[in-house]
């Protein structure tokens, strides 16, 4: 029930208090929460850039449709999709499985072979689209976690991905920015924080099948 209360408390924050900074202990929890996010096959094709530098954040505002939350927020989370999921990436994933779960090659080889074959058949655009879907999963997970920590957030698609990629030299890292989310604490004069949440009724949003 506490999580439901937190989800009712959260909203897409339109104005942050620039003087309030997220504690190191909560940032650590956010990083852990991101790393625990679900992903297809468990491949984790999403990396997180966590920016806490007002000069950088200010420079990113014009690349983000002049949305002031980018600069005001304590931190800016940038969700980046891996642009290359090749056999090396997949083999590295299965090496982690072997180490953590103490399994042998014979047990994992059929699944490993299947994934390598499957991703070889995908185009680069298909891989990026697939990875982007995983980024949305990670963002949703972080939204819920931040709400539970009473940390405000504002999920955004409104930014110039190419400019972000160039600014952070993401192409050289095999990454592409796909989503951004300022994190911090709402300003006392953000009028949106006082507004009632607008949602469909449960009966209009959920279809029960018996």
């Amino acid at each position: 029930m506490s999580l439901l209360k937190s989800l009712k408390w959260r909203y897409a924050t339109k104005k942050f208090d620039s003087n309030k900074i997220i504690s190191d202990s909560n940032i650590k929890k956010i990083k852990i929460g991101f790393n625990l996010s679900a992903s297809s096959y468990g491949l984790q094709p999403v990396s997180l850039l966590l920016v806490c530098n007002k000069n950088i954040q200010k420079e990113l505002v014009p690349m983000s449709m002049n949305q002031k939350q980018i600069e005001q927020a304590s931190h800016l989370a940038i969700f980046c999709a891996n642009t290359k999921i090749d056999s090396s990436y997949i083999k590295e994933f299965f090496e982690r499985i072997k180490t953590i779960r103490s399994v042998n090659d014979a047990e994992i080889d059929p699944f490993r072979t299947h994934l390598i074959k499957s991703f070889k058949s995908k185009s680069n655009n298909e891989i990026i689209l697939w990875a982007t879907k995983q980024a949305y999963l990670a963002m949703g997970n972080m939204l819920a976690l931040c709400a539970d920590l009473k940390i405000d957030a504002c999920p955004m698609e409104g930014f110039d991905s190419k400019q972000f990629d160039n600014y952070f030299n993401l192409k050289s890292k095999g990454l592409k920015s796909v989503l951004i989310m300022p994190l911090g604490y709402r300003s006392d004069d953000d009028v949106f924080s006082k507004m009632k949440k607008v949602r469909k009724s449960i009966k209009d949003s959920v279809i029960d099948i018996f």
Side-chain angles (χ1 to χ4, degrees), residues 26-68:
N26 276 338
I27 287 297
K28 183 178 180 180
K29 292 174 185 176
I30 288 170
K31 290 178 180 179
I32 293 171
F34 168 78
N35 201 49
L36 288 172
S37 296
S39 64
S40 180
Y41 306 117
L43 282 172
Q44 292 182 277
V46 184
S47 294
L48 182 69
L49 267 65
L50 206 52
V51 181
C52 183
N53 182 304
K54 291 297 182 185
N55 291 328
I56 293 175
Q57 289 168 239
K58 185 176 182 179
E59 290 180 352
L60 295 174
V61 171
M63 307 178 201
S64 312
M65 301 179 69
N66 290 311
Q67 297 179 88
K68 299 302 182 184

Side-chain angles (χ1 to χ4, degrees), residues 186-202:
R186 64 190 67 177
S187 174
D188 290 337
D189 61 351
D190 185 357
V191 296
F192 287 89
S193 68
K194 310 297 191 296
M195 294 182 179
K196 291 184 177 180
K197 196 177 289 292
V198 178
R199 292 292 188 274
K200 294 179 180 179
S201 66
I202 297 296

Side-chain angles (χ1 to χ4, degrees), residues 94 98 104-116:
F94 279 95
K98 286 168 61 179
N104 57 49
D105 269 327
E107 293 177 88
I108 63 174
D109 185 61
F111 187 31
R112 179 174 53 198
T113 300
H114 166 73
L115 284 188
I116 291 173

